[in-house]
Amino acid sequence: FFFKQKTAYEIRNCDWSSDVCSSDLRAEELAKIGTFPFTVEDLLSRGEHDFALQEIDDWEDSFPSEKATGWTQFWRGKVIFVQQPGLRAERYLTLAESINPKGIFVPEALWLRANSLIARGQHAEALKLLQRIRSEFTTSDYFKKAPEKIKECQDKIAKP
């Protein structure tokens, strides 16, 4: 057996379980990363927006490399959208897509952005995003939801 130097994570959380094997820490990190979306979604469903944002902050602090996946930007944008659709939410959702254009969250990010644009009266811009969902994300749940919103946008554009 050998003892390894403690990581900042282990010191901060008083985690001495990996004294002998460092693979335990990575497994625990992966488990926490995997539960993150469910935690934020649960907080959102209960209307605990401030706690959801705090969870995102804590996650970014604990796993800074995960910011490069676009997930934290997506979740932050979604929470802000639920609080108040608008430019701030749109910026985070756009950033998430720019970081990870193939991310599984992209159809939902486009959907949320489109709805935010509709709320702000920008139907032509929303229409473009909804049409992207229909053309690029045919297996997404949002593919089936988009036609109704597309019609709504087209009607608003035709009758300003």
Side-chain angles (χ1 to χ4, degrees), residues 72-127:
T72 57
Q73 295 82 0
F74 166 74
W75 282 108
R76 191 175 302 280
K78 183 173 180 174
V79 172
I80 293 168
F81 172 85
V82 170
Q83 287 178 313
Q84 175 75 43
L87 281 174
R88 187 166 172 240
E90 291 170 37
R91 286 185 188 121
Y92 279 108
L93 295 166
T94 301
L95 179 60
E97 182 187 358
S98 70
I99 291 170
N100 190 355
K102 301 291 184 193
I104 60 171
F105 55 79
V106 172
E108 185 174 2
L110 292 171
W111 177 259
L112 295 172
R113 284 174 53 206
N115 280 282
S116 182
L117 288 163
I118 290 168
R120 295 191 303 113
Q122 296 184 350
H123 297 90
E125 291 300 314
L127 180 60

Side-chain angles (χ1 to χ4, degrees), residues 16-28:
W16 314 120
S17 63
S18 64
D19 275 344
V20 177
C21 179
S22 64
S23 65
D24 293 341
L25 180 61
R26 186 63 186 149
E28 186 175 324

Side-chain angles (χ1 to χ4, degrees), residues 139-158:
T139 59
S140 161
D141 291 341
Y142 298 95
F143 176 85
K144 294 175 185 171
K145 296 178 180 183
E148 184 178 330
K149 288 286 184 179
I150 287 172
K151 179 158 178 26
E152 177 185 330
C153 288
Q154 289 170 333
D155 291 347
K156 289 286 186 177
I157 293 167

Side-chain angles (χ1 to χ4, degrees), residues 33 57-69 72-73:
I33 289 169
D57 290 340
D58 292 346
W59 195 59
E60 286 180 335
D61 290 343
S62 297
F63 307 105
S65 64
E66 289 297 307
K67 285 173 113 174
T69 66
T72 57
Q73 295 82 0

